[in-house]
Amino acid sequence: MAEQQTEFLWKVGAPAGQGVMTTGLLFSKLCAQSGGQVFDYAEYPSLIQGGHNTYEVLCSNTPAHNRQWQVDYLVCLDAITLKEHEHRLDASSIVVLDPATSSAPTNPAYTIVPLPVKELLAELKASSIMANMIALGASWALVGGDQKHLVELIAEQFGKKGEEVVNLNQNCAARGYEAVKSALPDHAVFAWKDTTETPLVMGGNDAFSLAAAAADCRFYAAYPMTPSSSVLATLAAWQKTTGMVVRHAEDEVGVISEALGASFAGVRACVGTSGGGFALMTESISYAGIAEIPIVIFLSQRPGPATGLPTATEQGDLLFATYAGHGEFPKIVLAPGDVTEMLELSRHAFDLADIYQTPVIVLSDKFLSESRMHLDQTVAEQVMATKPNYGRTIHNPSELPYLRYKVTEDGISERLIPGAAGTYYQANSYEHLEDSHTTEDPTERCRQVEKRLQKQQTYLDHHWLMPSIDGSLDGAKYVFVTWGSSKLVVQQARQLLDEPTAHIHFTHVYPMDREKVATLFAADRHYVLVENNATGQFGTLLRSEAGVDIKHTIHKYDGRAFYSEEIVAALEQHDR
Amino acid sequence: MIDSQPSSLDFTGYTPTWCAGCGNWGIGKGIELALKKQQLSPDSVIMLFDIGCSGNMNDFINAYAMHTLHGRALATAVGVKIANHKLPVLVTGGDGALYGEGGNHFLHACRGNHDLTVIVHDNSVYGLTTGQVSPTASKGKKSKSTPSGIIERPVNPLLLALTQGATFVAQGFTAQLPQLAELITAGMQHKGLSIINVLQPCVTFNKENTYAYYIKNTYKLPEDHDKSNFSQALEQAQAVFEERFPLGILYQAERPSYQDELPQLASEALVNKQRFLNNSALLKQFT
Ligand SMILES: Cc1ncc(C[n+]2csc(CCOP(=O)(O)OP(=O)(O)O)c2C)c(N)n1
Ligand code: SF4
């Protein structure tokens, strides 16, 4: 009996267009269905053909939060895979490659298992794309998975395409499985659990899509832009089920204009984009601000400036999102750190947009949008079943004359859905009177400015949430501070550190309550701000919004997410 | 027919701030006449006003309305109509807004055949920003922004709308009020995108395209003009290149509107539908 593993990182690499995403997704499903906790991440260049794609799965006995530097199993479907990832291998790593396409190094510092993909394909009379199934079978044998699960999953996955397709895929996978099994009869394999549960595994974009559907969002508009595009595809595919209208409009200006129109007419509306598209939307965000039109904006960041690194990740648009739109008006920015927070906050974003009648931005990034991780079924069901809070949305005027922009103590006025009999009003982009007519009167101008800004204070008093705190701030050698997706790496890094640490994680990043936030920061503690960007944008925000200045910061801006080992190394270097 | 009850609400809002003699007065009146003729009331219609002298009508006509951003009234209207296709939706804006700043939205609204009525105040200048050339200005026209004369040729709005797929294309002249009101009514009754280009003298900043100029250069479509004939419509639209401006409905075709083709809107307006509740159907895709 071989020794058992509690965690491993598996990675597959192949030329683009070779179906490596399918191999990765199915491998991850096998792991999750066999009791592993998974965290997957795919990397691909901004090319359709000719690039190099990879998919990695971290599988663990305990919750998996992030990627891991060391690759335990590397499955190479081309020569580049080994070259690009060799530096992440060590003595215990196992590399699977086809001697016919990749030359195996002499005296490698790791184990090599030959997998004669080309030969097997010829024998099976299968096309070259089927290499991904041979790789899947081989991978499943590598980690000691049960062949029965493999056979079943393939049947389920390809069942719709007919028996012939299922058989071919199963045969290819079986040959891959057997090849590794016979080459490696006895090695440390993962401690799989017998489970009947099928856990929920999804990426941030999936969680956002679920939240939108559950939140009674009836109109979603977008113009494709990585890494937000899969929300458009997902919601579009669900239209028949949900009844939502999903529009691929002509450009991002059209996208948000349409959404504002739909919102004015009374349906919850949302748009999704990345930095460039968001930039085009900013004038309309300002319109939503003055006309007090609810709108949820999903902004999945990728590295800029301009077209930047389209398929890479960065937390580079926090300040842009926060300050987007000309003029002064309230805006709420939420930054979930994992899929659970994505579901909860996005669901809540639609309520906040209605309650405060102003733009609400949900910030994601490529890493969070596309990494797949576990989400508790009960939590998911609960969040999705929450009844919408439409705030002061009304269908009949409570008094006449109806004043759309009535000045109130909390800044919020009743928003009448157009079509109600006996009155009318306009959503006016000019400064206006309480009854919505245009005005240039200085007194009325000030009243409306103050009314709108009051909503920000009302939000801070009623719905803003303090950051979550994990660990004890007192006695912690390091207190990590994160926002958005850098939560994931810090969670993982803390497990690698022996010293006591704590973690302050912000989700309600803008606006924030100055006094309350300041109470978390004491002069004698060592705070470390971790941001996936070059300039420390949350650090800037903390200085301006809370008067807090964190000196020790860790940044990464090469377009890749952090590895937990990098955090540990950065701390060691700092202490040296 | 549009089902609505007349109410005591009145369309007449603030007294317009347009210059005396401005062509916008006639368009405002034409819209009001058309709305009244259809027995609509301010609570049973949604209007979208662009930004410009034309868009300032937001305060002069009472209705559920959005006074949008410059160039965005049409795109915004697309969303309004999808959310509530039971209410008539009217868009008004200048030629700068609809053919320039929002030109891309114009093309795509035509393609989509959204069930909207678009009234373009075509005065060949940017009125509100004091008279720079607009996309319909004649080649060589001198203005503050083109002191040596504009190099570009003018946009031909009728041809543009026709070739991009609008299913109702008409031209009116603000000085011919009864016809204008009829065109607007017909456009609103039409299912699909209606484009009504209205020749509108800007008496303050456009000394060429005056009332006299349009009286001289407009003509009624011939008696035998067949508005269902696309080729005839194209032919009439080309007269504009010779500074001849046809008045009337150039083209009208039956084609399902964007809203007709959305199964989500088959039973009732999106805004009035029951909320989606079957969350488990979606969740199970992630196991
Ligand atoms: C984004 C933006 N750019 C510029 C302006 C300034 N502006 C207001 S109206 C207008 C042009 C108006 O011309 P047109 O649309 O033809 O309408 P008209 O005033 O002639 O009725 C411009 C450039 C603006 N409000 N917003
Ligand atoms: S500037 Fe021209 S378009 Fe504007 S109101 Fe005066 S005449 Fe009319």
Side-chain angles (χ1 to χ4, degrees), chain A residues 283, chain B residues 24 50-55 70 93-98 101 121 123 125-129 134 200:
Chain A
E283 191 192 12
Chain B
N24 283 328
D50 213 289
I51 300 294
C53 286
S54 43
H70 183 52
D95 51 337
L98 288 152
E101 185 88 344
H121 302 226
N123 58 11
V125 291
Y126 285 4
L128 195 63
T129 47
S134 85
Q200 175 246 319

Side-chain angles (χ1 to χ4, degrees), chain A residues 201 206 218 238-239 244 247 250-251 253 258 287 384 388 419-427 429-430 437-438, chain B residues 14 43 58-59 62-65 67-68 72 75-76 79-80 104-105 108 258 264 270 273 275 279 283 285-286:
Chain A
V201 179
D206 301 322
R218 298 179 187 205
W238 288 350
Q239 282 176 106
M244 189 187 290
R247 281 266 306 154
E250 60 272 12
D251 55 39
V253 186
E258 291 184 12
Y287 175 39
M384 291 180 74
T423 187
Y424 54 82
Y425 70 91
Q426 37 176 320
S429 77
Y430 279 87
H437 281 105
T438 306
Chain B
Y14 287 11
D43 54 3
N58 71 311
D59 287 324
N62 296 328
Y64 280 114
H67 198 181
T68 67
R72 312 306 165 202
T76 312
V80 170
N104 201 24
H105 308 312
H108 296 278
Y258 190 90
Q264 293 95 316
L270 196 61
K273 283 174 73 169
R275 174 160 83 87
N279 295 323
L283 267 178
Q285 303 185 15
F286 298 101

Side-chain angles (χ1 to χ4, degrees), chain A residues 11 24 41 65 82 139 182 194 199 215 231 307 334 340 343 357 359 382 417 440 476 480 488 521 540:
Chain A
K11 181 160 193 157
Y41 190 66
H65 299 302
L82 182 59
S139 302
S182 57
D194 229 351
V231 173
T307 314
L334 305 173
T340 308
L343 186 74
Q357 301 172 21
Q382 268 171 10
I417 302 304
E440 293 186 355
F480 291 104
L488 294 164
F521 292 87
T540 305

